[in-house]
Amino acid sequence: MKPAARRRALVVGVGLLVALLVGGRWLALETAERAWGASLPGGSAYLVARDFARLVSGLLLVGAVAWSTANLLFVYRSIGSMQLSRRLGDLEIVEAVPQRVLLAGTIASGMVFGFLLTLGTGDWWMAAALASRPVRFAVTEPVLHRDVGYYLAQLPWTERLWAFALVAVCSATVIVGLLYAGIGSLRFRRWLPYANAHARAHLGALLALLGVTLTWGALLDPLEAVAGLHGTLAPHALGARVAAAPVVTAAGVVATVVSVIWGLREKPVLLVAAWSTMLAASLLGFAVIPAALAGSADRMDLALAAERQRLEGIAFGVTVLAERPPPGYASPDAAAAAVPLWDAQRVLAAAASRADLRGPTPSRATPVAAALSPPTSPYADRWGRATWLVALKPNVDSVLAQQSSPDWTAMHRGAWARVGRPIAAIEDDTLLEFAPVSTRDSASWFGAQFTEFAVAAPDTWPALSESGIALSGAWRRTALAWALQSPALARHETDGLVLLWRRDVRSRLSRLAPFAQFDEPVPIVADSALWWLAYGYLEADAFPLARPVDAGGMGGGGGGGATPTRCDTSAPGWSARFAPGPGTRDCTWRPVRTRSPPRGPRCSSR
């Protein structure tokens, strides 16, 4: 075999190997994700949302790559040849770049350019999902008379599309202009642009698209101002923006038409005059004048203030403000017994020192969370003393400190994979009395900080047979082993077992409901079972007339609300419900959330 043929065969072999590894890894992850989704109640909605997210991301990527590559190829057509010079001693050697190399570099640059345009768009699918199934609240704001559902569901997606189009068109215009200037097709004389027919047609089309994009932004600006996307609402500044929008829109239409004319017939003076007018109108109408009016004394009239209060009440689910003292206790003794003296961290430290309460192998479990229990709990103290519920987790961190780590079976199938029943800690003056809590399940397979996957036998643990991933079939076991980097899952001795994956409560809920931000889960006992309760907060990017609220990343902005979600520990079941007094953001997500809660405010879907 000739050296050239050997090199070609080596390149083909390496390419096939890379394609096999990358494609096989992707196929294994896809199989594992779909198997995990099928093991969940309502998991089909999770898979649909995942497919929709990839569809939106894929469309954005394909559109960005096609846009950037097409613009660069149009520039490539105007290049006759490219020559590179190099010196060898006193000789200057000029070499022409092959057209195939130049074409390949153009396409590669376009792909990189398109990929850079889509950075940061990974979570845009949630805004697209809301816009695809908007909710109508039959509540309109008093300025532009739009329904609240438009600001919650449709405006965020429209704003993202506009920003994406603006960045794509602006960057393409700048890059293409620099390329044409570099090859001599575009030049400036007395600050006026002159170009040949090819470059002028291309740049004229780009400038026309830029004018359309800026005109679109001028139409959106009053809506953004009402929604609070330009800061806290100031009535005079809002009036200036609303009045400036038609003027800037008209200037944008004129700039667009003039750009098309310049692309067909060279009219540089007209082009510069139209775009100068457009930019000056935008700067004055949307920046200078509103900033000056917002800094002056600007008092809101009573009618608009009343509307703001009404809309803010709807946004945060507080329609009626009741001024009353907090509920009291029957007697001082009852208050002294019910008010806790300990906090969660000190309860956990005290429970960690009691190794006798953590089962026959206390080194394999450690306290992870403590929550104050209501007096009506079945394990609460009958004298009304404050009672804490302490939950456990596998003490995986202690494995790193051991000289000999447990084998795979002990780590993922044995006692390291689960913990025992929770513990009740009853306050007795300055001490704690510990007692095990009776639950119908002797082991907990899910909980806070359960970081490792587990494998269980459905005959021994029947509750897991319907909710775990069945390890059946050679390809499924191979795919799960590849995805989890655990070759033992592909062995025949695991055939017929069930895999428990993603057992940490908070990360599990965040994956099932990515539109919410969850608090740290707290343990509770209900129906003789240990559950984990976590509040998920929903944020709104925009809400009409509502002032932004900084809630530490939990439910801030306009229209925040809380949805309590609970997760069973014996089997990976979960349910979600509205908290009392839900905000509009909860109602907005209801048509597209993973599982619709059984109760909530009335809202209609268009």
Side-chain angles (χ1 to χ4, degrees):
M1 182 180 295
K2 296 181 179 180
R6 285 200 299 268
R7 287 196 299 269
R8 189 178 301 108
L10 180 62
V11 171
V12 172
V14 171
L16 291 177
L17 179 61
V18 171
L20 179 63
L21 292 177
V22 175
R25 175 69 174 174
W26 177 87
L27 188 59
L29 291 175
E30 184 68 16
T31 303
E33 287 287 350
R34 295 197 172 275
W36 185 71
S39 68
L40 301 171
S44 59
Y46 165 76
L47 296 177
V48 170
R50 187 170 177 271
D51 293 339
F52 183 75
R54 292 191 299 179
L55 175 63
V56 173
S57 299
L59 290 177
L60 290 174
L61 180 60
V62 170
V65 170
W67 164 258
S68 55
T69 305
N71 279 283
L72 293 182
L73 285 176
F74 206 80
V75 177
Y76 162 79
R77 288 186 56 190
S78 66
I79 301 176
S81 64
M82 178 178 291
Q83 296 178 346
L84 298 178
S85 62
R86 59 188 179 91
R87 284 189 171 276
L88 182 61
D90 295 333
L91 298 178
E92 182 177 1
I93 302 175
V94 179
E95 296 178 336
V97 178
Q99 289 294 324
R100 290 186 302 175
V101 175
L102 188 59
L103 178 61
T106 301
I107 296 176
S109 300
M111 296 180 66
V112 173
F113 181 23
F115 174 77
L116 293 177
L117 287 177
T118 59
L119 292 179
T121 62
D123 59 346
W124 284 18
W125 69 271
M126 290 185 282
L130 282 179
S132 65
R133 301 184 64 181
V135 175
R136 184 175 180 83
F137 291 92
V139 177
T140 58
E141 43 84 13
V143 180
L144 301 176
H145 307 289
R146 291 268 191 169
D147 189 84
V148 169
Y150 173 82
Y151 292 95
L152 288 173
Q154 294 173 281
L155 183 59
W157 175 239
T158 305
E159 175 71 17
R160 284 172 170 81
L161 286 181
W162 174 79
F164 184 76
L166 181 63
V167 172
V169 175
C170 283
S171 57
T173 304
V174 172
I175 292 175
V176 167
L178 292 176
L179 290 176
Y180 280 128
I183 62 178
S185 299
L186 173 67
R187 59 192 184 278
F188 289 87
R189 292 200 302 265
R190 296 181 180 179
W191 302 98
L192 297 178
Y194 294 90
N196 59 25
H198 183 93
R200 192 173 65 250
H202 190 187
L203 289 173
L206 288 177
L207 288 175
L209 290 176
L210 182 58
V212 171
T213 306
L214 294 177
T215 304
W216 182 17
L219 295 175
L220 289 177
D221 189 86
L223 297 168
E224 297 169 354
V226 172
L229 296 179
H230 295 304
T232 304
L233 180 66
H236 292 170
L238 175 61
R241 285 182 174 274
V242 173
V247 178
V248 178
T249 300
V253 172
V254 172
T256 302
V257 174
V258 170
S259 298
V260 175
I261 295 174
W262 180 78
L264 298 176
R265 299 182 63 183
E266 200 165 27
K267 300 289 184 179
V269 177
L270 185 62
L271 179 72
V272 172
W275 274 98
S276 299
T277 303
M278 165 68 178
L279 296 178
S282 300
L283 183 63
L284 291 175
F286 293 151
V288 177
I289 297 177
L293 293 177
S296 61
D298 193 6
R299 297 186 62 182
M300 186 176 296
D301 59 81
L302 296 179
L304 189 58
E307 286 295 321
R308 166 184 274 183
Q309 184 176 1
R310 180 179 70 92
L311 290 173
E312 285 182 342
I314 296 174
F316 297 101
V318 186
T319 56
V320 179
L321 296 179
E323 296 185 2
R324 58 180 176 82
Y329 294 93
S331 64
D333 294 337
V339 175
L341 300 176
W342 293 64
D343 59 17
Q345 296 299 322
R346 288 178 173 81
V347 171
L348 289 176
S353 63
R354 295 290 301 273
D356 58 306
L357 300 173
R358 303 199 297 270
T361 55
S363 62
R364 299 178 181 177
T366 184
V368 65
L372 190 64
S373 303
T376 57
S377 300
Y379 54 87
D381 182 59
R382 61 178 181 173
W383 304 108
R385 295 178 295 178
T387 304
W388 295 82
L389 181 66
V390 180
L392 307 175
K393 71 163 186 175
N395 193 11
V396 180
D397 296 336
S398 65
V399 176
L400 302 177
Q402 297 181 3
Q403 295 182 352
S404 59
S405 301
D407 58 7
W408 186 92
T409 302
M411 192 69 182
H412 299 284
R413 293 188 58 183
W416 290 94
R418 58 187 184 272
V419 296
R421 291 185 171 93
I423 304 168
I426 304 171
E427 294 187 5
D428 184 13
D429 290 336
T430 58
L431 301 177
L432 289 176
E433 296 179 1
F434 293 96
V437 177
S438 177
T439 57
R440 67 169 180 259
D441 300 303
S442 61
S444 296
W445 292 89
F446 297 84
Q449 301 181 26
F450 277 57
T451 56
E452 298 291 333
F453 67 88
V455 177
D459 298 335
T460 308
W461 308 95
L464 304 175
S465 58
E466 297 181 357
S467 50
I469 303 174
L471 294 175
S472 59
W475 167 243
R476 172 179 282 193
R477 294 201 311 271
T478 302
L480 291 171
W482 199 346
L484 297 177
Q485 299 295 300
S486 180
L489 294 175
R491 298 170 185 168
H492 291 289
E493 53 265 26
T494 61
D495 195 9
L497 303 180
V498 292
L499 172 68
L500 307 178
W501 187 22
R502 293 170 178 158
R503 301 190 294 157
D504 178 65
V505 174
R506 191 176 185 183
S507 61
R508 186 183 187 90
L509 296 178
S510 298
R511 184 173 290 272
L512 293 174
F515 45 82
Q517 299 182 22
F518 287 94
D519 276 340
E520 289 292 339
V522 295
I524 60 172
V525 172
D527 300 329
S528 299
L530 175 63
W531 292 75
W532 289 87
L533 181 68
Y535 275 85
Y537 297 88
L538 309 176
E539 290 187 350
D541 294 337
F543 198 91
L545 303 185
R547 288 162 290 187
V549 176
D550 185 8
M554 295 298 179
T563 300
T565 309
R566 63 178 189 173
C567 181
D568 194 358
T569 61
S570 58
W574 74 289
S575 63
R577 297 175 182 269
F578 282 130
T584 51
R585 188 62 165 176
D586 296 295
C587 195
T588 308
W589 268 107
R590 188 176 184 180
V592 295
R593 68 194 309 151
T594 308
R595 285 183 63 185
S596 296
R599 297 189 298 272
R602 295 185 178 273
C603 35
S604 60
S605 178
R606 292 185 296 179

